[in-house]
Amino acid sequence: MGGYRQWYAAKVFYNKVNPIVNSLMNKGVETYIPTFMEETYGPDGLKYVRKPLINSLLFICSSSEGIRKIGKEFSEELRIYGDGPTFLPTAIPDKEMEIFRIVTSAPDKGLKYLGADLPEYHTGQRVRVTDGVFKGAEGYIKRIFNDRRLIVTVEGIAAVATSFIHPSFLEKI
């Protein structure tokens, strides 16, 4: 699906994320599922397992023409996030998606999904992480769960909070 490729978000229904991802991968379409690390205890002891952070959320990298085709092909299984009045698919800015991917793919077990992106997640001191597993991420510092955490959002779609980041790893922007 040629043309300039951008990221789009899709809400997936009926627990069909994996079949849709497999189908899109077979067509050469890049996808991304935000995940977190979970500790599990079993007969072999402690293990860390990656699990989906946000159920039913799938990011798809495609051209605007390609995303419309994907929306039609999987019309029963997913809905592409779009703007309200026209329902045209809304592309996610590259930098916003890059920062979201840094945070949701880091090997950190303290990551928390906060829900939909709300105005309250865009207040406070804006910072950039200069070191550690979240290096390069940008967002707002906010007190959540009795700790100061970095809030990273995909506008209008989702907000996540990291675990505590030491102030020496933060620079104001």
Side-chain angles (χ1 to χ4, degrees), residues 28-115:
V29 177
E30 185 180 359
T31 61
Y32 178 71
I33 300 169
T35 59
F36 73 102
M37 295 294 284
E38 181 177 81
E39 287 182 344
T40 60
Y41 298 93
D44 300 332
L46 176 66
K47 289 185 182 180
Y48 291 94
V49 179
R50 281 216 164 269
K51 294 199 168 185
L53 178 65
I54 309 167
N55 289 330
S56 303
L57 182 64
L58 173 65
F59 292 95
I60 302 167
C61 190
S62 182
S63 65
S64 58
E65 178 186 328
I67 200 68
R68 284 192 291 275
K69 287 180 182 176
I70 290 168
K72 287 179 184 173
E73 179 182 348
F74 295 100
S75 63
E76 298 291 317
E77 293 93 3
L78 63 77
R79 181 184 62 82
I80 308 294
Y81 283 86
D83 70 354
T86 65
F87 297 105
L88 290 174
T90 303
I92 299 166
D94 290 339
K95 183 169 176 108
E96 196 172 315
M97 190 65 194
E98 177 186 341
I99 290 168
F100 190 75
R101 288 183 74 170
I102 288 170
V103 170
T104 59
S105 62
D108 180 69
K109 58 185 178 146
L111 197 63
K112 300 288 184 213
Y113 171 56
L114 301 176

